Amino acid sequence: MTTNEAILEIVANTSLEEACGFVTEWCNASEVEIDESGNIWIANPMTGHWLDEEKKAQFVAWANAQ
């Protein structure tokens, strides 16, 4: 399973809003988007950017441990 598939599974098992809340809790970003492909955009307090594969994998591991 790819990291994007794992992220979409988290969304499917919760909700988009709750999954975005997990990202907020994990990285303390106040602006979070998860797109339909499972990519994650974060911003504020940092400059907005898409998470790379390594960071998405870290998030998936963290979320699955919750």
Side-chain angles (χ1 to χ4, degrees), residues 12-58:
N13 290 334
T14 59
S15 68
L16 182 57
E17 184 177 323
E18 191 171 354
C20 286
F22 288 159
V23 176
T24 298
E25 184 178 343
W26 173 70
C27 69
N28 200 33
S30 63
E31 296 178 41
V32 174
E33 279 185 44
I34 300 174
D35 73 10
E36 64 279 347
S37 300
N39 291 304
I40 300 175
W41 171 266
I42 62 170
N44 211 5
M46 68 289 285
T47 302
H49 63 281
W50 294 101
L51 294 183
D52 63 23
E53 289 300 313
E54 181 181 339
K55 292 295 185 190
K56 288 189 293 186
Q58 290 173 4

